[in-house]
Amino acid sequence: EDQVTQSPEALRLQEGESSSLNCSYTVSGLRGLFWYRQDPGKGPEFLFTLYSAGEEKEKERLKATLTKKESFLHITAPKPEDSATYLCAVQGWNNAGNMLTFGGGTRLMVKP
Amino acid sequence: SAVISQKPSRDICQRGTSLTIQCQVDSQVTMMFWYRQQPGQSLTLIATANQGSEATYESGFVIDKFPISRPNLTFSTLTVSNMSPEDSSIYLCSVQLAIYGYTFGSGTRLTVV
């Protein structure tokens, strides 16, 4: 059974204070690792997909990296508008084909 | 990327009743997914709906409680049947497109009283 664990559960940062969010996973045959951002009352918004260890992707202040056991979402010089819940998910297999298994998420709050 | 419209966006329902949630996509997709997000929790997959076949349910979810329809390649419904307060959650529709990966609707916030 695929498992995804995110840490920390919650993170408070001052504006400009860089940090990293962790996503540890176990999956039988990783087909992709996804990062999403979710704002209150909204559905998850796609950020990145990573497919193989060593891969990195960047978007504005966010950078995602992947190893064989975990992924990191690095936030550089965050701003208050980066406050959201960040979700990690792995793509695996079920009887219907493929599926996403989500971690519990990290609630990020950036204070001005 | 795909645009997903979910209706209703929120509802308050009496226990014992049923609610049908609609999901409309602006592209033809083979697989549609229904998720539940309980308060303060992450997303849990309820079922996968392929057009032209019965939905495939994940462990802990059954068709009698969460019947799903998939009449064509752009539309699906999820019904939450015989509701109890424990069904109060956000229900999300998702699709997978080869180029854009997985896209989610804005969700239906259900409160059962």
Side-chain angles (χ1 to χ4, degrees), chain B residues 6-40:
Chain B
Q6 264 188 254
K7 294 180 180 179
S9 59
R10 60 177 62 227
D11 207 341
I12 300 174
C13 300
Q14 297 291 323
R15 68 177 64 199
T17 63
S18 298
L19 176 71
T20 296
I21 302 168
Q22 299 180 3
C23 178
Q24 179 75 51
V25 189
D26 68 347
S27 304
Q28 293 187 338
V29 294
T30 302
M31 301 177 75
M32 297 181 75
F33 306 88
W34 287 98
Y35 288 84
R36 181 176 72 182
Q37 188 172 28
Q38 294 177 301

Side-chain angles (χ1 to χ4, degrees), chain A residues 36 38 43 91 94 98 102-103, chain B residues 33 35 37 42 58 96 102 105:
Chain A
Y36 288 88
Q38 187 175 28
Q91 183 180 12
N94 64 1
N98 61 76
F102 280 85
Chain B
F33 306 88
Y35 288 84
Q37 188 172 28
S42 191
E58 298 302 309
Q96 181 189 19
Y102 295 86

Side-chain angles (χ1 to χ4, degrees), chain B residues 51-81:
Chain B
Q51 195 271 333
S53 63
E54 294 288 328
T56 300
Y57 290 83
E58 298 302 309
S59 177
F61 299 96
V62 295
I63 187 171
D64 290 346
K65 177 66 175 177
F66 299 100
I68 290 172
S69 77
R70 184 77 202 275
N72 57 52
L73 290 173
T74 63
F75 187 79
S76 179
T77 66
L78 169 75
T79 298
V80 186
S81 304

